[in-house]
């Protein structure tokens, strides 16, 4: 099944197969993100800048801020969820668990869910 | 590559959206094919309908654009009746009730919980009464703003109202300018006080005098590229052009065509004209405008009146239009303070009655989310001021009630991080009851926005609050970044961000502490804005401690995770949405 995704309302949320799935205002734990100097960035998602599909993963670069240190900017590509290739059902990642930006995912293994 | 939204706009955009909208309305919300919803919702914005946030599917925010904030006699009643009939949600708002209208920072009207199925009836009623939602959102000429008392003001240099109305007539529904790269916000100011807020608009006409053929002509200087959104606020820059009131449509057409053709359609985050202005600078901008879009020689800028601007200039003089003021015709206008710009429908209808009884029936909306009743004769004034409704919407409010603005926030808005209006109501009341007003301060601006889009214009307030999160005892809570000392006037200044990620329940304590120190340390008569301006960042950071107080905040938890922050059962899963025309839940999609 082809996955259709886009960010809408100027980055407020990600639509996956025409359902609003991932929203701004969640906190994400990012490990080894180079996003800031924190060991773990406590990252507030404020806007989705770019979205992509790397089957089965749905990925995004997110604008926001680490609420621990205050650094703000845009993340590397993050897995925000997976689409079941057969049913097209989307399962978002648990934003409260630890995420590793895609650029480093070879070293770190796939992000947890 | 053009953005996805541009692709959708290429297929259908502008006036033609209306037929589709009506067809979907006829057949019901769930007749919109699932794989076309995102595209249609993007397009519906052009007709003033903005799909509400997650958990509120099938409900729309609807904006009515009232140019220059002018509601002609009878129109306020129509707005009240429409809100009463069509803008009721599944759950009441605890501060404002079941139906209400929002007066916005761009002199528009926003209603919520609108059902698509009601749109044809709604539009019919609006349009039969000279009101419209056309281009109220979307990539188009938005509502044209200006001095809200244009034509009724003793400070007037040029009457800006006919100019604003002319632009409204010319550019609403005009095919040539109906598909812009992004929103297009225009301001026309005619008074010497600067209350059109031109500096924060894409295109601003500001009063000026120019000698042309040996004659002093009154008209406008032109500025381009203002805007507040994201963390990239800009003041509009002079492009060194003078324009007569008659030429305003021509110059507007040229500048908006330039934006239409040169604005960035690949990256919506870079699309606003402020970014083109960053890239080009005013000289190149003027050159391209002259060479490619204007068929007469543009005069250079005239002498402006900016050194007289008092509106929100920080010196306490004429910071808004609240109060009783003389009109040139001997009558009075009475500006009423509407806390966070929201009025319950009963109050709206009552105000419509009062405006007819005591004035001409005309009502105007300000860029500070307030209302003005115009044309009140001297001999009616006292009786009007004694009306019980004016106890709640006072022409002489407490300084903290008067200056409090808030955007839409997590109640309805997809982009939001925090709850806004109800919290600002609670902040204002707590401050009124607990914080000493510094000597001489009558008008203290606290603007609260739920995210960086800055719809409540936080950067031009004494105290700016911008939605954030922080952790308290490890738990995520709603918070605010706090900026200080913003304002307009001759030399506008954006607030300096001083204290970051303050938990929402510690903000009132912070303000109390800060104002206490202001009172202790200020020079005699010094304004808050001056006081902030002359201090270093370190000094500001060391003043004002965030602190818990007797203030209680019921919205600390992540209100964005609820389907509606004030519902008893507020879990996303408890949402009735999407619903059918009668508000009954539709079966889940899958
Ligand atoms: C990309 C998204 C958005 C951006 C960048 C944005 C930005 C802004 C800014 C900067 C203003 C201040 C007016 C000015 O510039 O002079 C404004 C006005 C406003 N915005 Fe937004 N906004 C966005 C989305 C929304 C949404 C989703 C809502 C509500 C559901 C909303 C509600 C308002 C209101 C009520 C006003 C005053 C309105 C008017 O009449 O145009 N905004 N917006
Ligand atoms: S400032 Fe943000 S939260 Fe508030 S209405 Fe605008 S987009 Fe929504
Ligand atoms: Zn950090």
């Amino acid at each position: 099944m082809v996955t259709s995704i886009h960010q809408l309302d100027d980055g407020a949320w990600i639509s996956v197969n025409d359902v609003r799935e991932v929203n701004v205002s969640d906190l994400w734990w990012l490990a080894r993100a180079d996003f800031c100097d924190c060991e773990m960035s406590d990252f507030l998602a404020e806007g989705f800048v770019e979205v992509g599909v790397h089957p089965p993963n749905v990925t995004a670069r997110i604008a926001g801020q680490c609420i621990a240190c205050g650094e703000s900017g845009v993340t590397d590509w993050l897995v925000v969820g997976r689409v079941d290739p057969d049913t097209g059902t989307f399962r978002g990642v648990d934003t409260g668990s630890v995420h590793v930006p895609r650029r480093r995912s070879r070293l770190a293994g796939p992000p947890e869910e | 590559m053009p953005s996805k939204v541009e692709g959708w706009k290429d297929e259908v955009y502008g006036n033609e959206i209306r037929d589709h909208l009506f067809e979907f309305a006829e057949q019901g919300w769930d007749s919109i094919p699932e794989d076309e919803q995102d595209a249609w919702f993007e397009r519906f914005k052009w007709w003033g309908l903005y799909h509400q946030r997650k958990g509120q599917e099938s409900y729309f925010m609807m904006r009515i654009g009232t140019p220059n904030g002018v509601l002609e006699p009878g129109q306020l009643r129509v707005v009240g009746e429409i809100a009463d009939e069509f803008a009721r949600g599944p759950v009441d708002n605890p501060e404002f009730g079941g139906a209400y209208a929002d007066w916005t920072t761009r002199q528009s009207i926003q209603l919520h919980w609108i059902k698509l199925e009601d749109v044809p009836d709604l539009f019919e009623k609006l349009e039969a009464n000279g009101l419209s939602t056309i281009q109220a959102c979307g990539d188009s000429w938005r509502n044209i703003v200006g001095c809200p008392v244009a034509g009724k003001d003793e400070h007037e240099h040029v009457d800006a109202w006919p100019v604003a109305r002319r632009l409204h007539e010319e550019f609403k529904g005009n095919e040539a300018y109906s598909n812009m790269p992004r929103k297009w916000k225009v301001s026309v100011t005619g008074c010497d006080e600067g209350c059109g807020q031109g500096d924060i608009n894409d295109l601003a006409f500001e009063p000026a005098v120019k000698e042309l053929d040996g004659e002093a002509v009154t008209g406008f200087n032109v500025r381009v590229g203002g805007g507040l959104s994201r963390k990239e606020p800009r003041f509009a820059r002079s492009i060194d052009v003078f324009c007569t009131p008659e030429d305003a449509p021509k110059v507007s057409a040229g500048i908006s065509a330039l934006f239409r053709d040169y604005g960035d359609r690949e990256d919506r985050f870079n699309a606003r004209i402020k970014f083109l202005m960053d890239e080009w600078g005013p000289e190149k901008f003027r050159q391209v405008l002259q060479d490619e879009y204007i068929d007469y020689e543009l005069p250079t800028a005239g002498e402006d009146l900016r050194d007289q601007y008092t509106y929100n200039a920080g010196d306490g003089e004429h910071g808004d239009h609240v109060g009783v003021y003389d009109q040139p015709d001997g009558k009075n206008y009475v500006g009423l303070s509407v806390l966070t710009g929201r009025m319950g429908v009963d109050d709206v209808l009552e105000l419509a009655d009062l405006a007819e009884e005591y004035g001409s029936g005309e009502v105007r909306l300000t860029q500070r989310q307030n209302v003005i009743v115009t044309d009140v004769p001297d001999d009616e004034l006292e009786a009007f001021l004694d009306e019980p409704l004016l106890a709640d919407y006072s022409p002489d409010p407490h300084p903290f009630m008067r200056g409090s603005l808030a955007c839409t926030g997590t109640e309805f808005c997809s982009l939001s991080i925090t709850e806004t209006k109800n919290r600002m109501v609670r902040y204002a009341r707590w401050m009124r009851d607990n914080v000493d007003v510094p000597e001489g301060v009558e008008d203290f601006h606290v603007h609260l926005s739920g995210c960086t889009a800055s719809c409540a214009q936080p950067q031009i307030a004494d105290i700016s609050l911008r939605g954030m999160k922080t952790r308290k005892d490890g738990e995520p809570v709603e918070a605010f970044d706090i900026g200080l000392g913003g304002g307009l006037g001759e030399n506008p200044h954006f607030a300096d961000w001083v204290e970051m990620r303050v938990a929402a329940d510690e903000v009132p304590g912070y303000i109390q502490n800060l104002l206490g120190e202001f009172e202790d340390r200020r020079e005699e008569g010094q304004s808050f804005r001056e006081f902030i301006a002359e201090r270093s960042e370190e000094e500001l950071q060391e003043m004002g401690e965030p602190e818990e107080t007797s203030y209680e905040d019921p919205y600390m938890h992540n209100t964005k995770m609820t389907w509606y922050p004030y519902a008893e059962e507020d879990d996303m899963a408890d949402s009735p949405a999407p619903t059918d025309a009668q508000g009954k839940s539709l079966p889940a999609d899958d």
Side-chain angles (χ1 to χ4, degrees):
Chain A
M1 218 180 122
V2 181
T3 304
S4 141
I5 77 163
H6 29 261
Q7 47 98 332
L8 276 167
D9 291 348
D10 296 286
W13 46 281
I14 302 176
S15 159
V16 184
N17 293 330
D18 311 302
V19 182
R20 297 198 251 200
E21 295 286 8
V22 193
N23 288 276
V24 294
S25 94
D26 286 335
L27 286 167
W28 297 62
W29 281 113
L30 305 182
R32 280 173 289 165
D34 313 334
F35 179 80
C36 59
D37 294 334
C38 298
E39 187 116 339
M40 294 253 282
S41 311
D42 197 356
F43 180 78
L44 174 69
E46 297 187 276
F48 298 98
V49 176
E50 276 186 279
V51 290
V53 198
H54 307 264
N57 291 337
V58 174
T59 56
R61 294 181 64 228
I62 315 177
Q65 188 172 139
C66 171
I67 63 162
C69 70
E71 188 65 40
S72 67
V74 179
T75 65
D76 283 329
W77 288 97
L78 283 170
V79 175
V80 300
R82 301 219 169 135
V83 178
D84 184 310
D86 302 321
T87 62
T89 308
F90 178 83
R91 221 151 49 96
V93 298
D94 171 8
T95 57
S97 66
V98 178
H99 301 269
V100 181
R102 195 179 159 75
R103 210 153 55 87
R104 296 287 184 85
S105 60
R106 250 178 312 120
L107 297 174
E112 293 170 39
E113 280 192 32
Chain B
M1 203 180 67
S3 67
K4 197 149 200 160
V5 172
E6 285 298 326
W8 293 335
K9 286 160 60 184
D10 284 343
E11 287 169 29
V12 183
Y13 210 59
N15 287 313
E16 58 180 336
I17 298 166
R18 187 183 172 104
D19 292 340
H20 298 270
L21 180 60
F22 277 40
E23 208 166 303
F24 289 128
E26 187 85 15
Q27 294 172 29
W29 185 77
D30 53 354
S31 70
I32 309 173
E34 227 165 86
D35 61 350
E36 294 178 17
Q37 283 183 5
D38 293 342
W40 285 116
F41 296 158
E42 190 61 43
R43 295 178 184 127
F44 290 171
K45 292 177 190 172
W46 200 91
W47 274 102
L49 293 160
Y50 207 116
H51 197 204
Q52 290 180 192
R53 72 164 170 90
K54 188 176 168 69
Q56 303 171 358
E57 286 77 7
S58 80
Y59 290 99
F60 291 81
M61 168 275 263
M62 187 183 82
R63 203 177 275 163
I64 304 164
T66 37
N68 209 81
V70 177
L71 281 157
E72 279 155 11
Q75 290 183 336
L76 183 67
R77 178 178 317 286
V78 173
V79 171
E81 287 170 0
I82 282 177
D84 201 14
E85 187 176 351
F86 299 108
R88 262 174 215 283
V91 171
D92 286 5
N93 178 302
E95 299 289 349
F96 303 100
Y100 35 83
D102 289 353
W103 320 130
T104 80
T105 53
R106 295 196 74 260
Q107 294 172 295
S108 298
I109 300 162
Q110 212 164 283
L111 306 178
H112 297 90
W113 298 120
I114 301 297
K115 298 299 301 182
L116 190 58
E117 292 83 353
D118 290 331
V119 165
D121 288 350
L122 231 162
F123 277 19
E124 192 181 54
K125 179 152 182 178
L126 284 173
E127 289 164 8
N129 290 283
L131 292 163
S132 174
T133 63
I134 190 170
Q135 290 167 236
C137 312
D139 297 339
S140 60
W141 272 75
R142 297 292 188 86
N143 193 41
I144 294 159
V145 299
C147 169
V149 288
K152 313 237 160 165
D153 185 13
E154 298 208 308
H155 291 268
E156 205 137 60
H157 172 73
V158 209
D159 184 357
W161 171 219
V163 179
R165 190 164 46 194
R166 179 92 198 275
L167 297 181
H168 175 82
E169 281 158 8
E170 184 115 2
F171 294 101
K172 290 287 184 173
N174 185 329
E175 292 287 342
Y177 310 94
S178 69
N179 179 352
M180 308 290 266
R182 197 73 174 75
K183 58 177 88 165
W184 182 247
K185 293 177 170 175
V186 177
S187 162
V188 184
T189 306
C191 71
D192 59 19
E193 300 177 300
C195 23
Q197 299 200 154
D199 283 334
I200 58 168
N201 281 268
D202 294 300
L203 169 59
F205 291 95
E206 294 200 74
V209 191
K210 172 84 181 173
E211 205 167 290
L212 294 176
D213 305 323
E215 226 181 293
V217 178
T218 55
F220 304 100
N221 281 348
V222 180
R223 288 183 179 236
V224 175
L228 301 176
S229 66
R230 310 281 163 181
K231 288 177 182 167
E232 302 274 4
R234 299 282 187 285
F235 290 118
R237 293 167 74 177
S238 166
I239 58 166
D240 194 19
V241 167
F242 175 81
C243 157
T244 62
E246 299 71 46
D247 283 338
K250 248 191 219 172
V251 170
S252 299
I255 297 177
S256 58
L258 184 158
F259 175 53
R260 177 194 66 206
D261 300 343
Y262 285 99
D264 188 345
R265 289 184 190 260
E266 300 190 356
D267 179 1
R268 291 183 65 77
F269 296 111
N270 193 46
R272 288 287 290 277
I273 202 163
K274 64 186 176 185
F275 298 115
L276 188 65
M277 185 57 90
D278 282 357
E279 198 185 312
W280 283 9
E283 293 79 21
K284 175 171 175 188
F285 193 98
R286 188 186 202 284
Q287 196 64 50
V288 175
L289 177 68
Q290 176 72 75
D291 294 349
E292 298 177 25
Y293 295 96
I294 300 287
D295 61 7
Y296 68 98
E297 194 177 337
L298 288 166
T300 56
E303 195 166 335
D304 65 35
L305 310 176
R306 289 178 67 92
D307 63 348
Q308 298 171 48
Y309 282 10
T310 51
Y311 173 85
N312 191 10
D315 50 15
E317 207 189 315
H318 194 67
D320 56 22
H321 298 85
V322 172
V324 180
Y325 300 89
D326 294 333
Q327 291 179 191
D329 63 1
K331 294 181 180 163
N332 304 274
Y333 72 82
V334 182
L336 306 177
S337 173
V338 183
L339 189 53
T340 73
R342 181 171 288 180
M343 259 175 123
V345 273
D346 295 342
D347 294 348
V348 174
L349 292 168
E350 167 85 16
L351 183 66
D353 287 342
L354 297 182
E356 269 159 36
E357 190 180 336
Y358 295 100
S360 59
E362 183 191 75
V363 167
R364 296 188 175 196
L365 309 176
T366 79
Q367 296 189 59
R368 314 194 60 80
Q369 302 182 331
N370 291 322
V371 293
I372 299 170
V373 174
T374 58
D375 307 327
V376 181
D378 284 341
D379 56 3
E380 301 273 1
L381 191 57
E382 208 165 318
F384 177 52
L385 296 176
D386 282 342
E387 284 288 341
L389 189 75
L390 272 64
D392 290 333
Y393 306 98
S394 173
D396 185 21
H398 189 282
F400 294 137
M401 305 295 273
R402 174 177 189 159
S404 292
L405 270 66
C407 74
T408 307
T410 54
E411 185 175 14
F412 302 114
C413 170
S414 288
L415 269 165
S416 60
I417 309 291
T418 61
E419 204 283 337
T420 50
K421 283 199 194 281
N422 289 26
R423 175 177 276 136
M424 189 69 243
V425 167
R426 299 174 71 92
Y427 279 179
R429 290 189 188 134
W430 188 88
M431 291 194 299
R432 176 194 61 196
D433 298 341
N434 294 279
V435 179
D436 294 329
V437 178
E439 179 75 35
V441 170
E442 286 179 15
D443 180 10
F444 192 75
H445 300 165
V446 182
H447 295 190
L448 185 155
S449 257
C451 82
T452 60
S454 305
C455 304
Q457 306 172 345
Q459 300 94 330
I460 56 166
D462 294 309
I463 296 194
S464 332
L465 302 175
R466 183 172 71 194
M468 252 290 135
K469 289 262 171 90
T470 191
R471 283 184 195 270
K472 227 172 152 154
D473 309 320
E475 289 303 311
V477 294
E478 298 194 356
F480 291 92
D481 286 345
I482 303 179
L484 302 176
L488 296 174
E490 181 184 9
N491 299 302
H493 182 74
F494 292 128
D496 300 309
W497 296 99
V498 167
E499 195 76 39
M500 310 311 264
R501 300 183 299 287
V502 177
D505 60 347
E506 298 178 22
V507 169
Y510 171 87
I511 295 175
Q512 184 173 40
N513 292 336
L514 178 74
L515 289 183
E517 285 177 74
F518 165 58
E519 193 67 310
D520 290 347
R521 300 191 198 184
R522 79 202 278 210
E523 284 156 32
E524 187 155 334
Q526 192 176 33
S527 75
F528 184 76
R529 183 162 159 193
E530 285 163 357
F531 175 83
I532 298 297
E534 72 176 27
R535 277 173 171 70
S536 69
E537 215 180 303
E538 293 73 42
E539 215 178 334
L540 291 174
Q541 257 150 17
E542 154 267 313
M543 287 187 340
E545 224 14 72
E547 190 182 3
E548 283 183 21
T549 56
S550 62
Y551 169 79
E552 281 176 32
D553 196 306
Y555 310 119
M556 289 300 281
H557 60 300
N558 191 341
T559 55
K560 190 70 174 292
M561 307 253 250
T562 66
W563 74 271
Y564 188 60
Y566 328 111
E568 199 125 339
E569 307 287 335
D570 68 357
D571 266 15
M572 208 51 97
D574 295 316
S575 168
T579 62
D580 65 11
Q582 280 71 46
K584 280 226 272 308
S585 293
L586 290 162
D589 295 332
D590 48 13

